Every structure is written in structure tokens, then in C-alpha cells.
Amino acid sequence: MLRATLKSLLARKVRLILSGLAVVLGVMFVSGAFVLTDTLSRTFDQVFADAYAEVDVNVAGKPKVTVSEAEGSAVAPPFAASTVEQVRAVPGVADAVGVVSADGARLIGSNGKVVTSFGPPQLGQNWVGESDLLRLRQGHEPRADDEIVVNAALAEAAKVKVGDRVGVLTLAPKREFTLVGIFGYSGGRDSIGGSHEVYFTTPVAQELMLGEAGTFNSVTVTAADGVADTALRDEVAAALGDDFVVRTGAELGEEMSAAFDEGLTFFNRILLGFAAVALLVGTFLILNTFSIIVAQRTRELALMRAIGASGRQIIGSVVLEAVAVGLLASVFGLAAGIGVGALLAYLFGTFAGGLELAGVGVPPSAVISAFAVGLLITVVAALLPALRAARIPPIAAMQDVATPDRPLTKITIGGAAVTAVGAVLLALGLTGNAGGSTLPVILGGVLFTFIGVALLTPLLSRPVVSLLGAVFSWSVPGKLGRLNSGRNPRRTAITAAALMVGIALVTGVTVILDSAKSSLSAMARDNVTAELVIAGAQSGPRSPSFDREVLTQTAALPGVRLADGEYGDLALVDGERTWVAASTEPAALRQIFNAEQVAGDISQLGPDQMLVRKESAESRGWSVGSTVPVQLTRGEERTFTVSGIYASEVYTNPVALPQSVASDFAIPHPIQGFIQLEPGTRSADVLPRVEALLADSPEVSVADRDAFIDQQASQFDTLLTMIQILLALAIVIAVLGIVNTLALSVLERTRELGLLRAIGLRRGQTMQMITVEAVVISVFGALLGVAVGLGLGAAVVRALRDDGITDLVLPWSQMGIFLGLAAFIGVVAAALPAIRAARINVLGAIAHD
């Protein structure tokens, strides 16, 4: 039986290649995700190890507010210079150097624009001298207050050279400096981890990066000979107390690496989610392939049963074929995944500013997942055809037609039941009744819905396919193609279901994002009365900001009624991390954002008062007069009294504080500005004057309200494009499924095609017949996908109604594109099978058994 199975497998190796390709692509995505994240993880492990290689012990102030990797970097509070002397006096300390180092030093390049950094920090630091790690390549260290040095990576990105006058943005508005030096790192590196670094003299660094003269925010400690780093760490920690965080250089590197790995884990899960979609589509393809192969081998398998093969042996034979296909596909998929992971890591390194990557490795997780997924998907998909093969009676060996159509009753009932389960899970997840498992319940609901609809598809295939095929029935090949596409509902359904999954997900996401985009845009237009908006595009964890003086000068312009600046920060409010805001003009809450006064007075704000959004007040039990402790990024904890409660659809900040406390925010400058004009004043008359005031703030620009809203809404389009690119793999696999189905169908109908050719069907007509069949199946799958996607998208939008997503937008143009794309996919998928069918030898085909 084993020899027979192997011979059978080798005889049909070409038929199994396309089904194996589906597994290869899915496994490639899975293993590539693990290779990418492993490479980046080891890269940044080395980056952080190098960064702190010369640090024996590091002392830093304990952050007032903890910040996750996705929210940016925590701000270590500054401390007095006397702390450095205190550390230097600890037994075992050979030297202690006060360090200023903070994210937020943005260099303005030769083109007048800020050099952006997509991820790596933009550090402003004080120059403490060269070391074995850091060496000047050109020029000299900063000696005067208007001199700086930068790393080679930043100099290259900014297109600046020694001797140039350059602008730098920090906590203070733009200041001009002379670039007097460019440095690099050991090993010929231009940066560590792609970071941009600007070094000032110590007094200037303290002023611009910490906002306080005579302070530092970390101390680099060198241990005396013979003193262990860990022992010195404990001594320094005991001397300083609980207000400081004391770590060895190795611990600091590990901590930074762990924080980065947390973000990589989230990224990895996203990639694996898209890989799961691709594998789900691949499952349909493999199931269909083995079903067709079993149907074609009916007489062969019946003969085996007749000469003594048991049902178990027949199942084992089919499963063995699946294992062989899964093993080979896993090997090739793993190899492709390694290549894709290495390519993506290279692109990431290039995009991050020339990040030097660690060698590409293959983690055990990539190998284990490749073979586990490849084998599991293939074997599970082959089980149903294997069970069907075991039920073939020996008498079928004497029948010409061994695979009669079976009733659709059982599969329809099963599909209805599975779809109902999916609908219940979606309802529970979308209505918030899933407890703490909302996301898994929603994903389970989507999976069950797809499987349920796929099981119901055979019931729909004959009437729908017949209707679609009528478009092509004006010719004999068209009529034949229409009949062929509907002759086997199960086969047509499975082939179409593979395409349905990809189209449904893209359609559903499009409905959700377009609805959100329309709802939020309409809400902003209805509730924001500012005619001009000052803002910048965020390219990293730090929001662009501008000088508050711009607002003062704007308010004095003719025709300006109100100029409001908005500050924002993450703070501890009553012990919980909460986004807080501050406005330069408290009246803006009502005049610009149409906020409704629910309680108290929201038109003014005293120095120790706070305004609270209605939802936050209700959830935390606050009312007018409540006292609330607030710890900002800088400064000591303060107590504020709730003086007003507001309701607003646009101004969603939970807490509004007085502008006087914004100096203790991580970014003590406005991050957005809203300008309201006097009646009759044209925004086009005021806009260029505000642009002139922003000359020293190249990170931000001013636009009219509609342009600003459209710019913000375009982020949804970017997100949609990224999702469509990632889901394209599922659609590619679906195309392979159509190709495979047609190729096997052509082989199955060899004699039939020969007879058609014998009675006058020309080669071109044969190709047209196969193409019509493919187009009908593809469009059928796309119609299913659009219908399911619309249903899922509409359900999500309905569930988000209370969150402000009130408009249901149906993407008619995109749906038309999807259907047109499906027709094109059908033509492409039919090319090879159609050519093969047209080249069939007529006499040989007639004699084919």
C-alpha cells in the first residue's frame, strides 16, 4: 500500500504543486514574521549593549509617569548637580559624570525642513568628551554656547557639514548654532541604532533639554578597580534613596531591549494574523485539490478496495500524500520565509536611517511553526477527502460514473448552524458582552462566519453561477463554460470561498474605515468652529510643537477673534494614567469646540482647577468640588478641584488643566492651534500671515479647517492601503486555487474535451469556454466576499455608533473595482488551463479512460 501510494503521488506531482504553493506562501508569511522579529530583536539587543558598554553603573531620576513603548519614552526628571558629587563620594566610585540626555532635539536640514526620525530617538545631550566608543571624525568639540556637534548619520540626513549654521528645535523655540564637529562610533558606525544625536555644551543642554540650569537627568558611574558593578550599584542605591533608579550598564541595556521586544511582539502578532488569513484560504485550496484528486481516482481506489485494501489503508494513503505535500511545502516555505524576513529587516534598517543589522538567523520558533503549520493545514484539509475515499465501494470499479452528485441537505444545515454560531460570537464581541475576551470572541465569530458561509455556498452556487453565466451565453463556448461552472456545486463553492475570504476582509475593513472617516470628518466640521488650524504630521513618538508666542502674535492680527493653543500629556490622575490637556484660552472649549456645560463653569479655569469630560466624571465618581491628585511628567504632585464638567463630541480629552501647568508637560509647547476669525474675514487673508509667524517652527503648518480635516482623515486611507497589501497574499492564494481547480478539471474532462474538439469546437473556442468558467467562478467568489464583507462591516459600524461612528458608508467604487478585479483574476487564472485544454490531442483524448 505504501509503494502504491508513493507511485500515485509521483504520478500526480504536477497536480499537487499548486496546492503545495498555497502552503508555501502561508508558511513563508509565518516563518518570515519570526525571522524578521528575531533579527530586529537581536539587532537592538546589540545596539543597547553597545550604547551602555562603557557604563558600569547608571543613575537616573525615577520617572513621575511611566510610559509604554507605543506611547513614547519616559521623561527622567532632572536633579541638582550636587547629586553627582554625592555619587562621586560613594566608596568604590572611580568617577561620576553628570549627563544631560533627552529626546526632542530636532535638527533643521539644509532644505529648511526638520530631519524626521521614524522610530529612533532624536537625542539632545551635553558633550562630556570622546571615548573608546565615540570619536570625532571632523572638527572639534562644542566650546561656545552657539556650537554643536552631531553624529555622522544625522549630518548625512540633514546634508550639513562642519562650519554650517543650522537651526535646532528643543524645549525652546528654534535657535541657531554653528556645526563645529561630526562624530562616529567604533566599528565605522555613523550612529547607534539609527538615532540622531546633537551635543551641546553642558549649560546649553541643561537649558534646552531639561529646562533648568545646573541640573542633570542621569549620572554615568565608573567603578574603581576590583569593584563589581552589581556591588557598586547597591552602594549607590543605598546612598541615594528611593527617588532614583540605579542600574548597571548591562541591566540598562537589557531593560531597553525588553521594552523594544514588547513592541516587536505586538508587530509579530499582526503579521501572524494576516498569515492566518492566508492559511485559511490555503485550506480551501488544499481541500478542493484533494477532493478532485479523490474523485478522479474513484475507480483506482475502488479496485484497491476490491483486492483487499481496508478503509483505514485508503485513509492512510490519502493522508500520507498530504503529509508529503505538507513536508515539502514547509521546507520551501521556511526557505522563502527566511528570505522574506531578511529582506524586510534590510528595508527596516534602511528606513530607520542605516541601522546596522545583526546577522539573519533562523529561530526555533520559525522552524517549529513552519512545519507545524504546513503539516497541520495540509493534513486537516485532506481529512474530509480521505474519509470520502474510504467510503468508496468496490463495485465502483465497474462504473463509468463513480462520483454522482450528493444532496446538499447536510452541508446546508451544517453551514447554517456554523454561521449562527459565528453571528452569536460577533454579537457578543461587538456589544461588549464578551467579558475580558472581546478580541478573541470577535475573531472567533469572523472565523465561524467565514466557514459557515463557505458551507452554505454550494446551495447558492447553481442559481447564482447560472445567472452570472447568462452574460456569456451568447456563444456556444459561453454556454458550455456556464454549464461547466455549475455542474459541481461543491467544487465551485470551495474554489469561490477561497477568494471570498480575501475580498470579504478587504470589503469589511473598507466599510469600517470609510464609515469612521466620514463620521469623524462630519463631526469635526459640525463642531469645530475654527477657520484655521496649526498642526504638524507626527513621524515618531513626539508630537510636533510650536512656540506659544505665535498664538499671541496671531491673536493680534486683524480679523482674528480667538487664537487657542492646545497642549497634551500623559499624567497620573488619581493614580490612573490619563491623557490631560491644557488650553491657552479656556473660552475655546465652548467657542471653538462647541462643548456643552453639564455642571459648574467651563468658561474659565483657575490655577488649581480642572475641567472633566462627562464620561470621565461618571466613571470615576467625580463631581463639581471633587479634589483630585495629579502627577504630571515634571514637577511634584498637585491637587486640583473639579470646577466644571463638559460634554463634547470633538473635544474628547478626559481632563483639561490650566495653561500655567503646561510647563510640567513632557512637551511644554502647544501641539495644535485653532484660530477663529471675525465674521466676514476670509481665511485666505489671514493664513499667509500666520504662515509667516511659523517660519521658525518648520515642524508645523497652518491650513484651513477643511484641508486639516481631510489631512487627518487621509490617515485612514494609509491604514487601508497597508491592510490591502497584507491581504493581497490571501487573494494570490485564491488565484492559485482557481488555477488548480481548472487544471484538475481539464484533466478530469480530457475525454469530454476531445469529443467536443472532434465535433467541431475550435481551439480558440475551447480556451474561451475555460475562461468563461474561470471568470464566472471568480466573480461568484467576489460577490460572496462583497456581501459578507458588507455584512461584517455594517455590524461593526453599528456596534461603534455610541463611539461616534454614526455614518454607514458603502464603498461602491471599491466594490466595483473588486468585481472587475475578480473578472481579471478569472482571465489570468484560466490562461494555463485553457492553453492546455486547447492543445489536447483529439484522438488521444477520445481514447482516454
Side-chain angles (χ1 to χ4, degrees), residues 775-791:
V775 170
V776 168
I777 293 174
S778 297
V779 174
F780 175 48
L783 280 174
L784 278 176
V786 167
V788 173
L790 286 177

Side-chain angles (χ1 to χ4, degrees), residues 546 551 562-566 582-586 588 592-593 672-675:
F546 57 97
L551 297 169
L562 185 67
D564 171 58
E566 292 293 320
S583 301
T584 57
E585 298 289 343
I592 291 181
F593 300 107
Q672 282 187 330
F674 297 89
I675 303 168

Side-chain angles (χ1 to χ4, degrees), residues 230-538:
T230 53
L232 183 58
R233 173 202 62 195
D234 296 340
E235 289 288 341
V236 173
L240 294 179
D242 295 335
D243 291 336
F244 294 86
V245 179
V246 184
R247 294 158 294 193
T248 65
E251 289 172 339
L252 188 56
E254 290 172 2
E255 182 180 311
M256 299 291 288
S257 181
F260 182 80
D261 286 345
E262 182 182 341
L264 277 181
T265 300
F266 176 75
F267 178 64
N268 192 42
R269 287 172 181 168
I270 293 176
L271 292 180
L272 292 178
F274 285 101
V277 173
L279 289 168
L280 175 63
V281 175
T283 302
F284 287 115
L285 192 160
I286 299 164
L287 173 62
N288 210 22
T289 299
F290 277 92
S291 296
I292 296 173
I293 289 175
V294 167
Q296 291 176 353
R297 296 174 60 199
T298 298
R299 295 186 67 183
E300 174 191 331
L301 295 172
L303 283 171
M304 288 186 177
R305 292 297 308 278
I307 62 176
S310 66
R312 182 176 298 177
Q313 287 177 309
I314 296 296
I315 292 174
S317 174
V318 176
V319 170
L320 182 60
E321 291 185 16
V323 169
V325 172
L327 278 174
L328 288 174
S330 297
V331 170
F332 286 107
L334 176 60
I338 294 171
V340 168
L343 175 62
L344 291 176
Y346 169 77
L347 294 175
F348 179 91
T350 303
F351 189 66
L355 177 66
E356 186 176 343
L357 296 172
V360 175
V362 184
S365 56
V367 178
I368 294 171
S369 62
F371 285 95
V373 168
L375 284 173
L376 180 65
I377 292 296
T378 313
V379 171
V380 168
L383 277 179
L384 282 178
L387 293 173
R388 195 176 304 136
R391 297 192 189 106
I392 295 175
I395 193 66
M398 296 180 290
Q399 296 176 338
D400 287 331
V401 180
T403 56
D405 250 353
R406 290 169 290 144
L408 301 175
T409 306
K410 291 183 179 179
I411 195 172
T412 301
I413 294 173
V418 174
T419 304
V421 172
V424 170
L425 290 175
L426 283 172
L428 289 174
L430 295 174
T431 56
N433 295 316
S437 306
T438 301
L439 182 59
V441 168
I442 291 176
L443 293 177
V446 171
L447 178 61
F448 275 92
T449 300
F450 280 143
I451 295 175
V453 172
L455 293 174
L456 290 172
T457 303
L459 184 67
L460 303 172
S461 64
R462 271 187 175 153
V464 177
V465 164
S466 178
L467 183 62
L468 292 173
V471 177
F472 304 97
S473 295
W474 48 270
S475 65
V476 171
K479 291 179 181 178
L480 292 173
R482 172 191 180 187
L483 293 172
N484 287 335
S485 58
R487 69 197 297 181
N488 192 323
R490 283 181 170 80
R491 183 180 303 176
T492 299
I494 295 175
T495 306
L499 184 59
M500 172 201 73
V501 173
I503 297 293
L505 287 173
V506 173
T507 303
V509 171
T510 303
V511 170
I512 296 168
L513 292 182
D514 281 357
S515 298
K517 176 181 174 181
S518 173
S519 300
L520 297 178
S521 296
M523 187 187 304
R525 287 187 171 90
D526 292 341
N527 292 280
V528 177
T529 60
E531 285 83 1
L532 298 176
V533 180
I534 300 173
Q538 188 165 343

Side-chain angles (χ1 to χ4, degrees), residues 183-269:
F183 66 90
Y185 289 94
S186 59
R189 293 170 295 176
D190 292 341
S191 70
I192 290 184
S195 61
H196 294 166
E197 296 167 283
V198 179
Y199 278 89
F200 309 91
T201 61
T202 295
V204 173
Q206 291 170 335
E207 174 194 354
L208 299 184
M209 302 311 303
L210 302 181
E212 296 181 45
T215 60
F216 298 97
N217 63 348
S218 70
V219 182
T220 298
V221 184
T222 303
D225 292 340
V227 178
D229 294 350
T230 53
L232 183 58
R233 173 202 62 195
D234 296 340
E235 289 288 341
V236 173
L240 294 179
D242 295 335
D243 291 336
F244 294 86
V245 179
V246 184
R247 294 158 294 193
T248 65
E251 289 172 339
L252 188 56
E254 290 172 2
E255 182 180 311
M256 299 291 288
S257 181
F260 182 80
D261 286 345
E262 182 182 341
L264 277 181
T265 300
F266 176 75
F267 178 64
N268 192 42
R269 287 172 181 168

Side-chain angles (χ1 to χ4, degrees), residues 645-824:
I645 298 174
Y646 61 89
S648 174
E649 292 183 338
V650 176
Y651 197 82
T652 57
N653 297 306
V655 173
L657 298 175
Q659 189 268 333
S660 58
V661 303
S663 57
D664 287 336
F665 283 13
I667 302 175
H669 301 295
I671 56 179
Q672 282 187 330
F674 297 89
I675 303 168
Q676 191 178 59
L677 305 180
E678 295 286 358
T681 303
R682 296 192 317 146
S683 58
D685 295 334
V686 179
L687 190 146
R689 298 180 182 180
V690 179
E691 282 183 336
L693 297 176
L694 291 170
D696 287 340
S697 301
E699 286 183 302
V700 298
S701 59
V702 61
D704 62 56
R705 182 184 58 184
D706 289 342
F708 170 74
I709 292 173
D710 291 341
Q711 178 187 8
Q712 298 301 305
S714 66
Q715 297 176 14
F716 288 100
D717 297 329
T718 303
L719 178 60
L720 179 60
T721 300
M722 293 173 59
I723 293 174
Q724 288 173 337
I725 290 172
L726 290 171
L727 287 175
L729 178 63
I731 296 176
V732 169
I733 294 176
V735 174
L736 292 177
I738 298 171
V739 173
N740 207 23
T741 298
L742 291 174
L744 293 173
S745 181
V746 166
L747 186 65
E748 186 179 52
R749 305 199 313 253
T750 299
R751 188 177 183 186
E752 174 188 320
L753 291 170
L755 288 171
L756 288 172
R757 290 292 311 283
I759 61 175
L761 193 70
R762 297 187 299 275
R763 286 188 173 183
Q765 291 177 311
T766 303
M767 295 178 67
Q768 183 182 344
M769 177 184 69
I770 301 296
T771 301
V772 167
E773 184 177 351
V775 170
V776 168
I777 293 174
S778 297
V779 174
F780 175 48
L783 280 174
L784 278 176
V786 167
V788 173
L790 286 177
L792 292 174
V796 174
V797 171
R798 179 66 184 84
L800 295 175
R801 178 174 293 273
D802 293 338
D803 294 319
I805 311 302
T806 55
D807 295 347
L808 175 61
V809 177
L810 301 183
W812 297 109
S813 59
Q814 286 94 332
M815 289 189 289
I817 291 173
F818 296 155
L819 294 177
L821 178 64
F824 176 74

